[in-house]
Amino acid sequence: MNIEKKISEKIKEALQSLYGAAVEKVALEKTNPDFVGDITLVVFGFLKLSKKKPEETATEIGNYLKANVPEVADFNVIKGFLNIVVSDAFWSDYLKSIYSKPFINAALPAGAPVVMVEYSSPNTNKPLHLGHIRNNLLGFSVAEILKAAGNKVVKANLVNDRGIHICKSMLAWQKWGNGETPESTGIKGDKLVGKYYVEFDKHYKKEVETLVQQGKTKDEAEKQAPLMQEAQQMLFKWEAGDKDVKELWATMNGWVYKGFEATYKMLGVDFDKVYYESQTYLLGKSIIEEGLAKGVLKRRPDNSVYIDLTADGLDEKTLLRADGTSVYMTQDLGTAIQRAEEVKFDRLVYTVANEQDYHFKVLFLILKKLGYKWADGLYHLSYGMVELPEGKMKSREGTVVDADDLMDEMIATAAATSKELGKADGLSEAEANKLYQTIGLGALKYFMLKVDPKKKMLFNPAESIDFNGNTGPFIQFNYVRVQALLRKAKDTMSFDTSAALNAPAQLLPQEKELIIKLYNFPVVLNQAAAEYSPAIIANYVYDLAKEFSQYYHDNPILKEKPEVALFRLQLAQTVGVAIKSCMSLLGIEVPDRM
RNA sequence: GGUUUCGUAGUUCAAUGGAUAGAAUAGGGCUUUCCUAAAGCUUUGAUGGAGGUUCGAUUCCUCUCGAAACUACCA
């Protein structure tokens, strides 16, 4: 049984027995490291019941616990704080109970809640950049965390494959592409399509400029520029099913998908379901009638349809234009309803940057007003933007950090550092390359995931490539140390991982700390799942690795006499498994040597 | 203008209303006859400002200053 739970039950008993008071909930916390003890009860809240001084109250409760709870070895009182010492035997037994078992329970309970996590959702007109990396890493990691916390997870990607943006690329390619293909140029498909998107923009800007010089307003110029008109024409043709346009569209999107696939593979993310907007963009129109009938939606004289959210502190939101066409919101309503029917999710998580907070607020509210019960299970995983030291990424200033380039750079830096330190000596080229990739991507992923998703983050390329301190490679290194120990132990003392674990009667303080850290994992995992925050896992695994690093530094393991060495190895092994498991929740691999 | 979010060491990040606000990095000073020094030890240094609630506030409330995002019949 969970020790906190047991102690808090006993504290309720103590309050009943000592002061005749019934208390509903007793909150415990971890003892501050500067004091002796493992678990702390703050007694200020009970003074009204005891009618005694804080010290006296705490001592009375402490005495009761020590007498009635075998696991409570001792206690001390400082002001209103009752610090409880849990016996070494309890911690040793706990370690024994998890030794040589999977650190994370992979089996899902029957009837596990179904959670759909949508993430990535790129546009097909340009390659993925740094912002997408945060999105992809977050979405993937949150999905893994929810899985580990006992949910049946469906990862989904909604590809924005249609619209004016891709038409711009198509048009520019027709005009200036000279039949270029990824094959003929050797350029990655998504990059090639992106190149023509930029090309369009260049010519378009010139046209706008010319029109402005001729006396048009900027607004007029932007709408009337011939290139924009042509792109619009192309979109109409696409919607009308024009064969040539559809063919070009399919071809160029095909190039992009091949490029995306390579980026996703390198990034290590995957999806259970891929949706395409070309197949979903008409959804949602059908519910307009329903909404009008229910009186939730209203029609304006010009025939456009809207919902009035001013009573909720929001604005009026148009859902159908006067010409009867739908807007993005309408589409999102439709896809949500479709998924609710198709997947029957308990929760649907949208991984989308916080610039769309308003959009999702409105989306969820409309679905609730339309009477869908499942709308309560919708969640916007809103994450902050990634900024560079010089400010926001701006495509026209060329400061956009390309996802592929960034990963390549991280891997190259890992390679250079490894070679410099002679860490790759004795590895085959394939092994060495795999190692560089593991370290480079580990650094990048950890750097991005250790920050609270809700907060905007600063991406400093120089610092992200650092391998010291609170970084992915530092954590990987401590895993590697464990593996080196285990390898050596197999040779020198025929260490056998199937041997039973026998703990010493008295644990070293650092050993106890490590076991307590391991013991806390389920709480940490649940918190990470509840808050949709990989950062909580990242901070946890860093703490664990740091704690182990000090233990390793201060205490020889293999040089000790056999029974001590055996226990320390088994503890190290357990820590290694824990590190690897936590890193996998972040989508980060660990090497066996580095 | 309105709505929302955010202001913590030089910098990048932590802290269910709890004890002396933790790390990392940068700067100062050390450690290698020791299982991987991609390590460890040590030192300097912070809650934007003013009130309030509380035994206790980085955390909750009000005001204020500063930053960002959103506020389309765009996606």
Side-chain angles (χ1 to χ4, degrees):
Chain A
M1 180 177 179
N2 181 296
I3 189 71
E4 285 90 353
K5 203 170 169 193
K6 182 163 185 180
I7 289 178
S8 66
E9 286 302 318
K10 288 290 177 180
I11 289 171
K12 283 184 210 168
E13 257 182 54
L15 292 168
Q16 183 64 250
S17 142
L18 292 166
Y19 314 122
V23 174
E24 292 255 324
K25 213 174 150 201
V26 173
L28 296 170
E29 47 199 89
K30 274 178 263 177
T31 301
N32 185 309
D34 294 341
F35 299 91
V36 176
D38 304 316
I39 295 170
T40 291
L41 173 73
V42 182
V43 302
F44 290 114
F46 303 134
L47 299 185
K48 271 176 272 172
L49 306 175
S50 70
K51 300 188 179 70
K52 290 177 181 167
K53 287 179 186 152
E55 289 86 347
E56 219 175 315
T57 309
T59 305
E60 286 179 350
I61 298 171
N63 279 325
Y64 184 93
L65 291 177
K66 197 172 170 183
N68 292 288
V69 187
E71 291 89 348
V72 172
D74 204 357
F75 72 93
N76 63 78
V77 174
I78 295 165
K79 294 189 277 181
F81 297 87
L82 170 61
N83 299 320
I84 299 161
V85 179
V86 177
S87 70
D88 280 6
F90 174 82
W91 299 120
S92 299
D93 284 348
Y94 174 72
L95 181 62
K96 205 178 289 181
S97 75
I98 63 164
Y99 177 65
S100 169
K101 290 192 185 135
F103 192 62
I104 293 169
N105 187 2
L108 284 183
V114 176
V115 184
M116 178 174 255
V117 179
E118 182 193 296
Y119 71 100
S120 200
S121 303
N123 290 356
T124 58
N125 60 320
K126 48 189 168 187
L128 270 33
H129 59 67
L130 182 54
H132 295 112
I133 290 189
R134 189 176 199 194
N135 181 304
N136 279 276
L137 295 178
L138 261 179
F140 179 85
S141 179
V142 164
E144 294 301 311
I145 289 167
L146 289 171
K147 232 187 263 180
N151 298 286
K152 185 170 170 8
V153 172
V154 182
K155 298 179 205 173
N157 189 1
L158 174 56
V159 181
N160 189 2
D161 62 341
R162 67 159 283 281
I164 192 70
H165 53 87
I166 183 69
C167 287
K168 290 179 184 175
S169 290
M170 286 155 64
L171 187 64
W173 183 85
Q174 271 185 339
K175 286 185 178 299
W176 305 293
N178 298 316
E180 276 190 358
T181 68
E183 290 75 25
S184 75
T185 56
I187 298 175
K188 204 161 157 277
D190 51 334
K191 298 270 166 39
L192 188 66
V193 172
K195 179 179 143 187
Y196 286 102
Y197 186 75
V198 172
E199 196 67 20
F200 175 94
D201 207 50
K202 227 168 65 188
H203 289 89
Y204 171 60
K205 284 236 172 70
K206 263 187 215 153
E207 286 186 355
V208 171
E209 215 173 295
T210 311
L211 287 173
V212 168
Q213 275 166 7
Q214 288 168 4
K216 310 247 186 213
T217 67
K218 200 173 174 229
D219 238 33
E220 287 169 346
E222 279 174 356
K223 279 184 189 141
Q224 292 170 11
L227 271 171
M228 185 55 87
Q229 300 272 327
E230 246 182 294
Q232 290 287 2
Q233 270 306 312
M234 200 177 227
L235 184 57
F236 286 136
K237 279 188 181 170
W238 183 91
E239 285 179 0
D242 181 279
K243 192 166 161 282
D244 290 344
V245 170
K246 282 270 185 170
E247 209 165 282
L248 177 60
W249 172 76
T251 303
M252 289 183 72
N253 270 339
W255 296 345
V256 172
Y257 296 147
K258 227 169 164 184
F260 282 175
E261 204 179 310
T263 307
Y264 285 148
K265 195 175 172 206
M266 183 60 98
L267 206 47
V269 301
D270 56 19
F271 304 95
D272 301 308
K273 282 187 183 291
V274 180
Y275 298 94
Y276 297 92
E277 277 199 18
S278 54
Q279 286 159 19
T280 61
Y281 80 108
L282 293 175
L283 291 171
K285 277 191 172 185
S286 55
I287 62 154
I288 299 293
E289 284 306 322
E290 195 187 315
L292 284 167
K294 283 184 184 165
V296 175
L297 307 184
K298 291 172 191 156
R299 198 183 288 277
R300 294 195 186 96
D302 68 357
N303 224 26
S304 63
V305 176
Y306 72 103
I307 183 165
D308 185 357
L309 300 172
T310 48
D312 298 276
L314 303 170
D315 299 323
E316 289 183 355
K317 178 71 196 175
T318 298
L319 295 176
L320 223 48
R321 297 187 184 99
D323 66 4
T325 56
S326 59
V327 296
Y328 192 63
M329 184 65 77
T330 323
Q331 220 181 109
D332 265 7
L333 290 168
T335 49
I337 292 165
Q338 187 197 41
R339 287 178 195 179
E341 287 163 0
E342 178 196 337
V343 185
K344 303 205 186 334
F345 57 77
D346 295 283
R347 274 188 286 166
L348 169 55
V349 179
Y350 293 90
T351 312
V352 179
N354 63 10
E355 57 189 352
Q356 292 195 36
D357 283 354
Y358 183 78
H359 174 81
F360 283 100
K361 217 187 249 180
V362 171
L363 175 66
F364 297 169
L365 187 58
I366 294 176
L367 285 165
K368 275 177 204 167
K369 284 188 183 289
L370 287 171
Y372 294 103
K373 295 194 296 290
W374 46 261
D376 289 327
L378 299 173
Y379 182 77
H380 175 204
L381 173 49
S382 162
Y383 63 90
M385 307 295 276
V386 183
E387 290 174 13
L388 300 170
E390 56 272 18
K392 272 187 276 187
M393 289 196 286
K394 292 196 179 114
S395 51
R396 68 189 129 84
E397 286 166 29
T399 54
V400 175
V401 177
D402 178 77
D404 296 319
D405 293 351
L406 178 59
M407 287 191 280
D408 288 348
E409 199 183 324
M410 297 295 289
I411 294 167
T413 308
T417 312
S418 293
K419 282 175 194 156
E420 193 186 312
L421 296 172
K423 297 288 184 180
D425 296 353
L427 293 181
S428 72
E429 201 183 321
E431 287 170 330
N433 285 332
K434 172 72 190 160
L435 177 63
Y436 306 149
Q437 192 179 317
T438 302
I439 298 171
L441 292 177
L444 175 63
K445 292 181 182 184
Y446 186 84
F447 187 84
M448 301 207 75
L449 289 174
K450 74 176 174 185
V451 182
D452 183 343
K454 291 195 285 291
K455 296 189 176 173
K456 66 166 190 245
M457 70 170 293
L458 187 92
F459 186 84
N460 186 329
E463 277 173 30
S464 67
I465 295 179
D466 204 344
F467 300 149
N468 296 314
N470 188 355
T471 65
F474 171 81
I475 298 164
Q476 289 173 325
F477 176 63
N478 281 290
Y479 175 81
V480 163
R481 278 173 154 173
V482 172
Q483 304 319 303
L485 280 174
L486 297 178
R487 270 197 305 273
K488 199 158 278 189
K490 271 180 192 130
D491 295 341
T492 59
M493 51 181 279
S494 53
F495 173 66
D496 179 358
T497 52
S498 66
L501 186 139
N502 276 307
Q506 193 158 20
L507 297 168
L508 295 171
Q510 286 174 327
E511 290 169 342
K512 195 166 119 173
E513 269 312 303
L514 281 169
I515 298 172
I516 292 176
K517 283 241 155 62
L518 297 171
Y519 177 83
N520 285 335
F521 178 71
V523 174
V524 172
L525 175 63
N526 283 331
Q527 195 195 345
E531 294 178 25
Y532 304 90
S533 173
I536 292 171
I537 299 291
N539 284 321
Y540 169 82
V541 68
Y542 170 66
D543 271 352
L544 181 66
K546 197 165 73 125
E547 185 76 32
F548 177 76
S549 183
Q550 276 164 29
Y551 175 63
Y552 173 93
H553 181 264
D554 297 343
N555 302 283
I557 294 177
L558 297 174
K559 288 180 182 157
E560 284 289 342
K561 51 188 178 193
E563 68 268 25
V564 176
L566 181 62
F567 171 72
R568 291 184 181 180
L569 276 168
Q570 289 169 325
L571 176 57
Q573 184 192 337
T574 311
V575 170
V577 171
I579 290 176
K580 185 174 185 172
S581 304
C582 289
M583 291 296 258
S584 80
L585 294 181
L586 303 175
I588 300 175
E589 292 184 72
V590 287
D592 282 328
R593 58 185 80 212
M594 67 190 279

